């Protein structure tokens, strides 16, 4: 298994170690997805190091928090797009032809509420990942008949992620929020249980593939409901 | 496991036998879902015969084939609604309070393309199951926080079902269509693989529930790309 | 112009008088839309009294306020459907063939937020008018090529209607709410300005018809945005 | 009135002349919307030449025809985004603050089928304008309460445009297609009738604004019913 992140080599190494100690095999890569050629090179490297990529999970997002139009620079607007829509397009250009040659493959794209509707303050994020959702549809229309399963997963809520959400709002506030409704009431999506569904999607038979599934906690209202 | 269908006692018995021979336990029931009190009584009977219903799969549809406005009688328009939207509402009225009392449960609703958009000739079907989709949303908004997982599965294509599609177009034509693209190319959703996803949905952890997932073969275009 | 409502003959007569005093011609009819044959008879009567119906505005809704599943009886669930989805279907059965014979016509359907997503407490309403939205799509797919313009207007907010909303929340509270943001800030849709768009839709040229338009005040968030 | 296009100065001048001969006032500008600073400068120039821009119609698209993933270069993918999503963002950055200062304004965004779903061969176009649709939603959430009316118009079909569609498929084929169904049956959206709806949208009262309207001919199936 290849793990890729933008920074934090020590954190990445710890994760690789954990996987190896539990009997798996993993390799960790540091990559800046907006750098020219970086995605393309990494895919070659991974395939050369570990063998053919059968399942690719694309997790990049561009949630910068709420910013007004005045606060959103052209640079940030472009960065959001480069990190999400353009980065997925580059993955597709590099990886899908290889998968087609090998007879199949799976591309799972982690998406979010902002791919479904544009909220105030989400100008850069919503246009970037809203466009990426339709990119996934167009990719699937071209590649599903060639046995490439593309799936767009709408993670519609906050994830229990000390490294990302925890850094944004503070680890203490995250933990407090997590337990605020009491035992057995989940207000944060747990990564391991998100992974259950990703694993299921990667195992679906070609006679019954899911293109889009949403995921949220039982305590969260979906994006289409207002409180 | 309780199996319910509208007719064909012998077919139902064969299925029950199959399940029992492979080590499961099943009971078969014949029920007319539009009959007053039938759904309500059946739920009581099943719970009394077999114990609490933890997972309910609601499969009723009203696909009568394409009919123009002139060909669609008021009676048929009403029947489509009684079989789908009203029947699900009655299931919810009878079953969800029991599940709430027991601390949780799962209701999986089989839906179809016509729940997403109204095609020509689908007047009765599309309004009935399109309304049912929003009924599922409103049920989920009320009951998900009470630990009832409601999921709306959009089966977006033809299912390999000799008893339903096979009866409509002929079993020979069904088999021919099924194999027309050659080995490894699926043009019909296979019930066993649909069931894989239903089983997964029934097992999702409450921190990461799916409300809606679509299912189609790798050779079929989704409803948003096709007529 | 024919005006139809369920009750309040004096109010209806006043409205007819107003129209006639300002130089128009109108006739008022009282009708119970769920009564068997009532819609069908009324359409015949209007055409016999006033001539061919060129534009029909269908305004019936079923917003009963928020009710839980326990509070929503089977009777109410059915009534919501009879008032909206079934009533429109009956209008279509009676009127569209006449319009086709005459070479064209317009059917404008007033809809609401609940046609787009199912909120908590809206079980009966959302399934009834959500289904009606897809009915409109299927009707348009059959009849637009026959020169019948069907348009589904999503009135996504509260209307300044002393007779309906005013009766629900009190006329004083309605007036207070209306002016609470100050001069020039509208929090209620004004019926006259809704009518501007209806009139525009009824005048669209067949080379550029609108099937769906939303309407809301500049101060209201659309249904897809959460606050 | 300011008219802006990328090329064809003589064509632009003819149009300005036509408007002036019929009693209007117009000025024509040539601009390359992807050039750094071009949009920003043009908005300043127009406001200095003609006065405050009250209504801005944004017409840029990126329909390059159908191209597979292999045929879609990174450059083209980026160009589609620069012409649509980024260009609108730049217009918003430059123009909306001025409108806010002046107490209001209107921004009408011409969109297309590809903003609603991603078809095969539309990778660059669909992700660019699909993202732009959600950008419009987020802009409206921020600016509608400040009296800026943003409207996203889904032109869901081919337009009778000798200069664009005519150039793509040939003017003869365009004319032939246009009349192929006979008198009174429109298969192409007529620009003058599209403009009727744009004009109506620009005149809507703030108590009843439309964010999204679709436009198509009576002979065309909507995107949700067609490939």
């Amino acid at each position: 298994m290849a793990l890729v992140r933008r920074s934090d080599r020590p954190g990445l190494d710890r994760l690789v170690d954990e996987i190896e100690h539990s009997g798996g095999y993993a390799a960790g890569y540091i990559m800046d997805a907006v750098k020219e050629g970086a995605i393309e090179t990494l895919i070659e490297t991974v395939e050369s190091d570990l063998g053919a990529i059968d399942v690719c999970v694309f997790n990049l997002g561009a949630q910068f928090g709420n910013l007004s139009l005045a606060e959103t620079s052209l640079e940030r607007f472009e960065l959001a797009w480069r990190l999400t829509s353009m980065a997925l397009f580059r993955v597709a250009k590099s990886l899908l032809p290889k998968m087609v040659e090998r007879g199949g493959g799976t591309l799972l794209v982690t998406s979010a509420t902002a791919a479904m509707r544009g909220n105030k303050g989400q100008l850069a994020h919503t246009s970037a990942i809203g466009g990426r959702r339709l990119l996934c549809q167009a990719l699937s229309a071209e590649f599903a008949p060639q046995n490439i399963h593309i799936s767009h997963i709408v993670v519609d809520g906050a994830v229990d992620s000390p490294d990302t959400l925890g850094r944004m709002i503070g680890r203490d506030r995250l933990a407090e929020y997590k337990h605020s409704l009491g035992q057995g009431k989940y207000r944060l999506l747990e990564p391991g249980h998100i992974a259950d569904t990703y694993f299921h999607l990667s195992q679906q038979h070609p006679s019954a593939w899911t293109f889009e599934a949403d995921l949220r906690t039982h305590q969260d209202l979906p994006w289409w409901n207002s409180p």
Side-chain angles (χ1 to χ4, degrees), chain A residues 33 59 64 91 122 125 131 134 136 151 170 173 186 212 219:
Chain A
N59 271 329
F64 304 129
V91 167
Q122 292 285 307
H125 188 218
L134 270 59
C136 288
S151 196
R173 269 190 62 201
Y186 300 88
E212 192 161 79
Q219 298 298 322

mmCIF file of all heavy atoms in Angstrom, chain A residues 33 59 64 91 122 125 131 134 136 151 170 173 186 212 219:
data_model
loop_
_atom_site.group_PDB
_atom_site.id
_atom_site.type_symbol
_atom_site.label_atom_id
_atom_site.label_comp_id
_atom_site.label_asym_id
_atom_site.label_seq_id
_atom_site.Cartn_x
_atom_site.Cartn_y
_atom_site.Cartn_z
ATOM 1 N N ALA A 33 0.954 18.223 -4.485
ATOM 2 C CA ALA A 33 0.105 17.901 -5.638
ATOM 3 C C ALA A 33 -0.049 19.037 -6.635
ATOM 4 O O ALA A 33 -0.483 18.816 -7.763
ATOM 5 C CB ALA A 33 -1.277 17.458 -5.155
ATOM 6 N N ASN A 59 -7.946 11.835 -1.914
ATOM 7 C CA ASN A 59 -8.486 12.475 -0.713
ATOM 8 C C ASN A 59 -8.326 13.988 -0.662
ATOM 9 O O ASN A 59 -8.744 14.614 0.306
ATOM 10 C CB ASN A 59 -7.748 11.926 0.525
ATOM 11 C CG ASN A 59 -8.439 10.698 1.068
ATOM 12 O OD1 ASN A 59 -9.642 10.559 0.961
ATOM 13 N ND2 ASN A 59 -7.664 9.802 1.649
ATOM 14 N N PHE A 64 -10.663 25.748 3.194
ATOM 15 C CA PHE A 64 -9.837 26.746 3.867
ATOM 16 C C PHE A 64 -10.601 27.464 4.985
ATOM 17 O O PHE A 64 -10.118 28.469 5.506
ATOM 18 C CB PHE A 64 -9.362 27.819 2.871
ATOM 19 C CG PHE A 64 -8.616 27.290 1.670
ATOM 20 C CD1 PHE A 64 -8.972 27.662 0.376
ATOM 21 C CD2 PHE A 64 -7.540 26.419 1.819
ATOM 22 C CE1 PHE A 64 -8.278 27.201 -0.733
ATOM 23 C CE2 PHE A 64 -6.835 25.952 0.716
ATOM 24 C CZ PHE A 64 -7.213 26.335 -0.564
ATOM 25 N N VAL A 91 -4.368 12.914 -12.102
ATOM 26 C CA VAL A 91 -4.360 11.493 -11.712
ATOM 27 C C VAL A 91 -5.016 10.659 -12.804
ATOM 28 O O VAL A 91 -4.502 9.608 -13.210
ATOM 29 C CB VAL A 91 -5.100 11.295 -10.367
ATOM 30 C CG1 VAL A 91 -5.383 9.820 -10.111
ATOM 31 C CG2 VAL A 91 -4.286 11.898 -9.215
ATOM 32 N N GLN A 122 -17.761 29.857 0.903
ATOM 33 C CA GLN A 122 -17.105 28.670 0.349
ATOM 34 C C GLN A 122 -16.777 28.849 -1.138
ATOM 35 O O GLN A 122 -16.711 27.852 -1.873
ATOM 36 C CB GLN A 122 -18.027 27.456 0.541
ATOM 37 C CG GLN A 122 -18.209 27.051 1.998
ATOM 38 C CD GLN A 122 -16.973 26.347 2.523
ATOM 39 O OE1 GLN A 122 -16.505 25.389 1.935
ATOM 40 N NE2 GLN A 122 -16.408 26.854 3.611
ATOM 41 N N HIS A 125 -13.758 26.747 -2.523
ATOM 42 C CA HIS A 125 -13.919 25.325 -2.270
ATOM 43 C C HIS A 125 -15.071 24.732 -3.078
ATOM 44 O O HIS A 125 -14.946 23.704 -3.739
ATOM 45 C CB HIS A 125 -14.160 25.133 -0.764
ATOM 46 C CG HIS A 125 -14.160 23.723 -0.305
ATOM 47 N ND1 HIS A 125 -15.018 23.260 0.661
ATOM 48 C CD2 HIS A 125 -13.412 22.665 -0.664
ATOM 49 C CE1 HIS A 125 -14.804 21.999 0.889
ATOM 50 N NE2 HIS A 125 -13.831 21.597 0.104
ATOM 51 N N GLY A 131 -17.120 21.313 -9.355
ATOM 52 C CA GLY A 131 -16.683 20.966 -10.697
ATOM 53 C C GLY A 131 -16.086 19.572 -10.748
ATOM 54 O O GLY A 131 -16.299 18.824 -11.705
ATOM 55 N N LEU A 134 -18.632 16.756 -11.268
ATOM 56 C CA LEU A 134 -19.053 16.525 -12.647
ATOM 57 C C LEU A 134 -17.906 15.944 -13.476
ATOM 58 O O LEU A 134 -18.155 15.180 -14.415
ATOM 59 C CB LEU A 134 -19.622 17.811 -13.253
ATOM 60 C CG LEU A 134 -21.138 17.955 -13.049
ATOM 61 C CD1 LEU A 134 -21.530 17.949 -11.586
ATOM 62 C CD2 LEU A 134 -21.698 19.168 -13.737
ATOM 63 N N CYS A 136 -15.902 13.727 -12.278
ATOM 64 C CA CYS A 136 -16.031 12.302 -11.968
ATOM 65 C C CYS A 136 -17.135 11.652 -12.815
ATOM 66 O O CYS A 136 -16.988 10.531 -13.296
ATOM 67 C CB CYS A 136 -16.348 12.095 -10.480
ATOM 68 S SG CYS A 136 -14.958 12.437 -9.392
ATOM 69 N N SER A 151 -15.905 6.251 -8.147
ATOM 70 C CA SER A 151 -16.954 6.487 -7.167
ATOM 71 C C SER A 151 -16.679 7.795 -6.427
ATOM 72 O O SER A 151 -15.533 8.086 -6.065
ATOM 73 C CB SER A 151 -17.012 5.315 -6.183
ATOM 74 O OG SER A 151 -18.220 5.323 -5.460
ATOM 75 N N GLY A 170 -8.730 22.983 17.286
ATOM 76 C CA GLY A 170 -8.099 22.585 18.542
ATOM 77 C C GLY A 170 -8.520 21.171 18.916
ATOM 78 O O GLY A 170 -9.692 20.819 18.812
ATOM 79 N N ARG A 173 -11.236 20.977 21.750
ATOM 80 C CA ARG A 173 -12.600 21.266 21.317
ATOM 81 C C ARG A 173 -13.155 20.118 20.473
ATOM 82 O O ARG A 173 -14.343 19.805 20.520
ATOM 83 C CB ARG A 173 -12.655 22.550 20.488
ATOM 84 C CG ARG A 173 -12.924 23.790 21.340
ATOM 85 C CD ARG A 173 -13.209 25.001 20.469
ATOM 86 N NE ARG A 173 -14.397 24.851 19.641
ATOM 87 C CZ ARG A 173 -14.642 25.564 18.526
ATOM 88 N NH1 ARG A 173 -13.768 26.471 18.142
ATOM 89 N NH2 ARG A 173 -15.739 25.377 17.822
ATOM 90 N N TYR A 186 -22.901 9.594 17.799
ATOM 91 C CA TYR A 186 -21.720 10.010 17.048
ATOM 92 C C TYR A 186 -21.988 11.314 16.309
ATOM 93 O O TYR A 186 -22.947 11.407 15.560
ATOM 94 C CB TYR A 186 -21.317 8.903 16.077
ATOM 95 C CG TYR A 186 -20.990 7.628 16.812
ATOM 96 C CD1 TYR A 186 -21.982 6.696 17.107
ATOM 97 C CD2 TYR A 186 -19.696 7.396 17.262
ATOM 98 C CE1 TYR A 186 -21.689 5.544 17.816
ATOM 99 C CE2 TYR A 186 -19.392 6.244 17.974
ATOM 100 C CZ TYR A 186 -20.387 5.332 18.252
ATOM 101 O OH TYR A 186 -20.101 4.203 18.966
ATOM 102 N N GLU A 212 -22.176 7.104 -6.671
ATOM 103 C CA GLU A 212 -22.187 8.111 -5.611
ATOM 104 C C GLU A 212 -22.855 7.593 -4.355
ATOM 105 O O GLU A 212 -23.944 7.018 -4.401
ATOM 106 C CB GLU A 212 -22.900 9.386 -6.084
ATOM 107 C CG GLU A 212 -22.695 10.573 -5.156
ATOM 108 C CD GLU A 212 -23.005 11.892 -5.849
ATOM 109 O OE1 GLU A 212 -24.188 12.231 -5.968
ATOM 110 O OE2 GLU A 212 -22.065 12.568 -6.305
ATOM 111 N N GLN A 219 -26.446 11.503 13.773
ATOM 112 C CA GLN A 219 -26.892 12.701 14.481
ATOM 113 C C GLN A 219 -26.845 13.961 13.618
ATOM 114 O O GLN A 219 -27.265 15.029 14.057
ATOM 115 C CB GLN A 219 -26.032 12.921 15.745
ATOM 116 C CG GLN A 219 -26.126 11.797 16.755
ATOM 117 C CD GLN A 219 -27.546 11.604 17.304
ATOM 118 O OE1 GLN A 219 -28.267 12.560 17.535
ATOM 119 N NE2 GLN A 219 -27.944 10.350 17.484
#
